[in-house]
Amino acid sequence: MLEDSLEDRSRQQRLVTVRAVVAGVFVSIGLALILMRLLHLQSTLHEHYSVLSKDNRVKIQPVPPTRGLIFDAKGVLLADNHPSFSLEITVEKVANLAETIDELAKLMPIDDKDRARFERLKRQRMRFQAVPIRLNLTPAEVARFAVDGHRFPGVDVNAELIRTYPKSELTAHVLGYVGRINERELASIDKGDYAGTNFIGKGGVEKAHEEVLHGRVGYQQVEVNARGRILRTLESTPPVPGRDLYLYLDIALQQAATEALGDRRGAVVAIDPRNGGVLALVSNPSFDPNLFVEGISQADYDALLHSPDKPLYNRAVRGQYPPGSTVKPFVAMGGLAAGVTTPKKGTYCPGSFSLPGQSHRFRCWRRSGHGTVNMEQAIVQSCDVYFYSLANQMGIDRLHDRLADFGFGERTGVDVSGEQPGLLPSREWKERVRKQTWYPGETLIVGIGQGAFLATPIQLAAATAAMANHGHYIQPRLAYASRIPGAPTAQKLPEVNRQIDVGNPGYWDLIIGYMAQVVESGRGTAKRIRSKDYRIAGKTGTAQVFTVGQKESYSASKTPERMRDHALFIAFAPVEDPRIAVAVIVENGGHGGSTAAPVARQVLDAHLGGSKLSEIGGEEHGD
């Protein structure tokens, strides 16, 4: 019995020993594997996991630059930046987006417009980019979220500078506006340059000078905790702020031009002939650009878009109108330069003109005719027959080339986005576009600024400035200098200019003298606006909206308002030393002398100083 007991005990001891050895082997193997893994991690994969660890702890954040300010010629602030707080959601960090938004709505008002804008912007951005759900938070709302923000991972309050336009509608078509970057713009811009930036210039000067105003993005390296909150800034590269922009624009003159137009549709452009600076650029009606900065509501946008008055349409640089009789001084100069006429050469005006061998009559505005008129009389009284005859003598090729010298048919290059080139018809243009040959009768129509001939108000103003400047054509510009904020000096922008060659320099004084008589002569079509304080040179124009048949007569009173003739006027003053050139168009305004010319006179008075426009009666003459 004792022997059996001892044998069992010995067997149990051997079993325990075996188990201990086996366990020890497994433990040893496990420890060896762990040590090998640790060795692998510490040596082979050290660099890899070190980078991952640092990326989880250290983040690179873009620091957007401050957009440059915009000032008028006298230092009046036209475009500013003001701080604004927005509530933003980073979609990839939110588990249940709908539930999160509903909970946020219990903290602060979030209406259907906010939700709709959020959905629209969310589709335009990457999931890792923050999308605003509420804009322009009040201080109370910011404080409320600061208390409860820990409940909303992926939701943050972001502070940014928002563009604002103190002069609102007065500068909308000049400055344009900035707005949030859309998908199309995102595809074309350098994403590195716009990292952390939500806004970009959408029109006007804001878009034309985007590179100057935007600045250069900076970066900061920050340490964050497990929740992604910033603990400290490790290092940073500060952003370079956008340059402040200084314009030739005189906001007081801009105001005067706007008031002169009143509630009528139209445009006014004023240029300093000495340097090409745009002193005023008005398109009426206008709109409030502040509505667009953070996203305009659909209702407000539809109201602007579908308005019959087209307030979003910049008539000053995009409006293309038949220039009418305002081109007659330029046609006359072209005839002199081409050598096909002389100042004293007379043309008989019986009230109409017909090409040799044709019965079609091209009518003059005065049915009874002007009798025999020379160049001065033809410009002063705006005789159509004289310019039918002159255009026919020149032919379309020479007529086109001489008018092109003054910039018609091409963009002026003014630094406002969206400029249209107008249309200066030619033989080549008609063959290329309409697949038709040119007819002599079309040359006659171009000679009085009608037919397919189209010009923009900025083109007319630039051409008028060139006439005032004795053929020295300077590209019109709004911005004259830019400056780094805080810098003592500004960097002037270069001028682009050329000289129009007309052969005899004396022709400039001749045509300018004739244009002065348009205002000063008792038979001048703009005699209503002559001033006792300074001399004005100008030319009236009336542009047909539709063609009147051979046997029909035009009656403004029987014509729907929007089908009536456009009224135009160009002018510069003082004649002896021009400091301002103006082009005015009043849509469906009728005669240029009675409607557009008084607008120009008010603009000239505002710039040069002068007594109030007197009411001069008498017979209406021509345009």
Side-chain angles (χ1 to χ4, degrees), residues 223-244:
E223 184 177 4
V224 298
N225 62 16
R227 291 178 174 270
R229 301 292 182 183
I230 296 176
L231 299 177
R232 59 179 175 142
T233 300
L234 301 177
E235 61 178 271
S236 63
T237 300
V240 177
R243 300 175 70 93
D244 294 338

Side-chain angles (χ1 to χ4, degrees), residues 304-315:
L304 291 171
L305 185 64
H306 300 301
S307 169
D309 293 331
K310 299 181 179 179
L312 296 176
Y313 187 62
N314 190 345
R315 291 165 164 82

